[in-house]
Amino acid sequence: MTVDLTAVTAGHVATAFARRSAPIAALGSDADALAAACHAMARRFHRGGRLLGLGTGPAAADVAHVVVEFVYPVIVGKRALPALALPGGGSAATVEVFGGSDDIALAFSPDGAEPALAEAMAAAVRGGLLTVALLGGGTDGRGGAVGAVPGLDHVIVVPSEDPRVVREAQVTAYHVLWELVHVFLDAPEVLA
């Protein structure tokens, strides 16, 4: 029996792209929100702040990736910036121990449903850290419990419940975030 792989593959490829189109387009419509987060982060770095990365499960890998990119810039000539992934993915206690009022708490979650991550971000708000959350839509479309934490500074929600799609969009978002933070740092007149 011969199977037409082209027809089978084309259908799957079209379905896979269709699942990603709206969430990625929505990320593009959040460009102003992402740029505002980058500007605020650059201001904190300019004042001597550090990036504290939070996230568990697969999001912990993205946190580690972002931290490495800030500490060891991939583009020649860009300066290294202080960043660390909080132990155990972050908790209220680790934010209180490691975080200062000039620092940045950057959280990743595919659905925002982790209570410990929500508590950690609430601790960051109480501590005066700049808070940035890259979240998936979750069942409420607003980033779950993490997105609902009062006082968060910047929340970017990928409108998808598919954790793979969310992660793909977050990878794009944090690479843009890294690049724009450096763009702002290269123009200190906009950091005052």
Side-chain angles (χ1 to χ4, degrees), residues 3-192:
V3 176
D4 182 3
L5 292 178
T6 304
V8 172
T9 304
H12 288 290
V13 168
T15 300
F17 273 102
R19 213 174 45 247
R20 289 159 172 80
S21 295
I24 298 299
L27 184 62
S29 69
D30 277 345
D32 289 343
L34 191 57
C38 296
H39 182 255
M41 290 175 66
R43 291 182 75 187
R44 293 291 176 114
F45 281 123
H46 185 69
R47 294 191 330 220
R50 299 168 298 155
L51 174 79
L52 307 179
L54 300 94
T56 60
D62 294 322
V63 169
H65 184 129
V66 166
V67 165
V68 166
E69 288 204 9
F70 274 101
V71 174
Y72 302 102
V74 295
I75 297 176
V76 174
K78 298 299 178 188
R79 68 182 186 180
L81 296 168
L84 77 124
L86 290 181
S91 65
T94 57
V95 167
E96 291 165 358
V97 167
F98 291 103
S101 61
D102 281 339
D103 293 335
I104 305 155
L106 174 62
F108 290 84
S109 175
D111 59 10
E114 300 91 344
L117 187 57
E119 291 168 11
M121 291 303 279
V125 169
R126 287 191 304 274
L129 283 75
L130 175 70
T131 53
V132 180
L134 298 178
L135 308 171
T139 56
D140 65 1
R142 295 186 302 265
V146 177
V149 170
L152 292 178
D153 297 302
H154 303 278
V155 179
I156 308 295
V157 178
V158 177
S160 176
E161 292 184 34
D162 184 333
R164 296 164 299 191
V165 172
V166 169
R167 191 165 184 211
E168 290 166 11
Q170 287 175 339
V171 167
T172 299
Y174 69 68
H175 282 102
V176 168
L177 185 145
W178 179 90
E179 188 170 339
L180 288 181
V181 163
H182 281 86
V183 166
F184 286 121
L185 286 172
D186 288 343
E189 66 277 5
V190 301
L191 298 177

